[in-house]
Amino acid sequence: MKQASFYELTSQRGMIHLCGKDSLDLLDRLSTNKLTDLTSAGMGMGSVLTTNKGRIIDLIYLYVFQDRIAVTTSFEATQKVIDWLDFYIFTEDVKIKNISSDIVYFRIFNPTHLTDLENVMSENMFSVKNGLLEQIPCTFINQRVGNIPCLDLITNSSNEIKIKDFLSNQGNEILKKDYEKIRIQAGDPVFNAELSEDYNPLEAGLKKYVNFNKGCYIGQEVVARLDTYDKVQRSLVRLSWSGELKGRALLYQEKKVGAITSVSGNIGLGYVHKKALESTKPYLICEGKSVNVEAVLTN
Amino acid sequence: MVTRITPEPLTITISEEAAKHVGQFVAAEGKAEANLRVGVKGGGCSGLTYVLEIIDNEPDAEDKLIEEHGVKLYVDKKSYIFLAGTVLEYSGGLNGKGFVFNNPNAKTTCGCGTSFSV
């Protein structure tokens, strides 16, 4: 039987609260997914904030509560996201509060093996619920890393030790290097590696968070054109190789066609130009060693 | 000889033609006064979208008021930064677009013409 395992994501996830009647409308006008479909408390969705050139500011997740919208961000991008939203608030009723330093954030795999969590589990991805664990108020989110389902647990930072003790007693803590391997294997992009203003959501495998029928948002014209005219020039791919690699540049037929963005042992993620991916067995070279494309993570 | 020029503060203006059309809309809605909110909001392909609406409610105390050709334009302080120097015009005829913002601050304008970036 598989045991539950958990990883503390506090240093990697930020959280902001948006209050005010115009919050959802503002976020909808600034990001790629159709957030107006979030019609009731408990619902959640992923969406991408993009520049007017269609480049990624951050991948955010939004969760609807009765009195607010909670938005999780990449920790390092949190201030950038707040500044971006704040710039676009004119006469709207929206108040932003950064609560990143007040929370702890755990990701639990195989959560069904933990007692007391049955009632917060859901088939609905991104569904969110408040509840008690060991009498501690927590927020539970049904999330995924790639295709792997998991449960995210967020609580006040003052509860960190109690929650960590509970999780440690019933499951294994995942080490940072092991989580990185899970993340890369699952093709889950992170900020400053796969997610940055160097890339657009279609290159980064985030098409699932782009709604092509929702109408205007910042960057919409560029993103729609890239998709309609098949102009996406490179794709996020999962890579593997033998031995160790220190370099990042990927060559194909002696030309640079991409770069590795994340590495864990002998697997990694990277962006590769579509021309090099057209071959059935693309033969990429990094530091004179051959690198295999395991999967194209475009969608 | 040096000519001294006193710079005029940038403002938002409405053309006579545009004001005439505002008057027609206001009359059609059975309103006595032509009070118009002009502003900007986030969104649209390029980042910022123009706002233009006839208002009934009391304007905000911090709004700027510009009165021209019988039309009162109310502009919130933040929008004013992006609209200073703009001329609100009306483009009629078969290829007309209706009300048009000629905004000198707009660096790019998206295909639909309602969204711009600075």
Side-chain angles (χ1 to χ4, degrees), chain A residues 51-71:
Chain A
T51 67
N52 60 4
K53 290 181 176 150
R55 301 303 183 97
I56 299 167
I57 292 169
D58 195 19
L59 167 60
I60 56 173
Y61 296 96
L62 302 95
Y63 306 101
V64 180
F65 292 88
Q66 290 291 353
D67 58 342
R68 66 190 185 277
I69 294 168
V71 178

Side-chain angles (χ1 to χ4, degrees), chain B residues 65-86:
Chain B
L65 168 63
I66 298 141
E67 199 165 359
E68 196 173 21
H69 303 305
V71 176
K72 284 179 180 168
L73 304 176
Y74 292 95
V75 191
D76 66 275
K77 269 169 74 176
K78 190 168 173 184
S79 291
Y80 193 85
I81 298 166
F82 299 95
L83 292 174
T86 295

Side-chain angles (χ1 to χ4, degrees), chain A residues 176-244:
Chain A
K176 190 176 179 183
K177 68 176 175 55
D178 294 331
Y179 181 79
E180 186 65 356
K181 194 164 193 172
I182 293 169
R183 180 186 78 75
I184 289 172
Q185 197 67 46
D188 188 42
V190 292
F191 186 72
N192 269 349
E194 291 79 33
L195 305 177
S196 77
E197 288 192 33
D198 290 335
Y199 310 108
N200 68 56
L202 305 183
E203 292 171 335
L206 301 176
K207 199 171 179 177
K208 54 186 171 285
Y209 302 131
V210 178
N211 187 303
F212 290 97
N213 301 314
K214 70 173 270 188
C216 286
Y217 58 86
I218 300 176
Q220 182 262 345
E221 207 166 67
V222 177
V223 174
R225 207 182 302 133
L226 287 169
D227 186 63
T228 304
Y229 299 110
D230 193 20
K231 293 286 183 192
V232 178
Q233 294 301 309
R234 56 192 168 179
S235 293
L236 183 63
V237 295
R238 194 171 66 238
L239 304 159
S240 70
W241 52 84
S242 299
E244 243 182 72

Side-chain angles (χ1 to χ4, degrees), chain A residues 34-191:
Chain A
K34 195 179 176 192
L35 306 183
T36 48
D37 283 348
L38 296 172
T39 50
S40 57
M43 295 175 81
M45 198 180 266
S47 196
V48 189
L49 289 169
T50 44
T51 67
N52 60 4
K53 290 181 176 150
R55 301 303 183 97
I56 299 167
I57 292 169
D58 195 19
L59 167 60
I60 56 173
Y61 296 96
L62 302 95
Y63 306 101
V64 180
F65 292 88
Q66 290 291 353
D67 58 342
R68 66 190 185 277
I69 294 168
V71 178
T72 63
T73 58
S74 305
F75 190 87
E76 290 170 287
T78 307
Q79 194 53 51
K80 190 178 177 185
V81 168
I82 291 169
D83 293 345
W84 184 258
L85 298 179
D86 197 46
F87 179 82
Y88 290 106
I89 297 170
F90 287 82
T91 56
E92 293 91 340
D93 175 19
V94 182
K95 295 272 180 297
I96 303 173
K97 189 178 179 193
N98 186 356
I99 62 155
S100 305
S101 55
D102 303 331
I103 59 158
V104 279
Y105 196 121
F106 294 95
R107 178 156 284 172
I108 307 163
F109 295 96
N110 299 314
T112 47
H113 296 279
L114 295 180
T115 54
D116 299 338
L117 288 181
E118 300 84 2
N119 60 338
V120 295
M121 298 295 296
S122 167
E123 292 284 301
N124 299 328
M125 193 146 103
F126 307 129
S127 64
V128 63
K129 216 174 197 177
N130 285 330
L132 293 175
L133 185 65
E134 300 279 284
Q135 301 305 311
I136 297 166
C138 298
T139 298
F140 301 96
I141 299 165
N142 288 277
Q143 257 286 5
R144 271 169 198 271
V145 179
N147 286 323
I148 309 165
C150 56
L151 186 72
D152 286 359
L153 183 163
I154 301 165
T155 186
N156 191 282
S157 50
S158 61
N159 303 318
E160 183 176 16
I161 294 169
K162 281 185 192 165
I163 290 292
K164 208 164 179 177
D165 282 350
F166 170 83
L167 294 173
S168 301
N169 286 336
Q170 298 205 27
N172 296 323
E173 181 165 9
I174 300 170
L175 299 174
K176 190 176 179 183
K177 68 176 175 55
D178 294 331
Y179 181 79
E180 186 65 356
K181 194 164 193 172
I182 293 169
R183 180 186 78 75
I184 289 172
Q185 197 67 46
D188 188 42
V190 292
F191 186 72

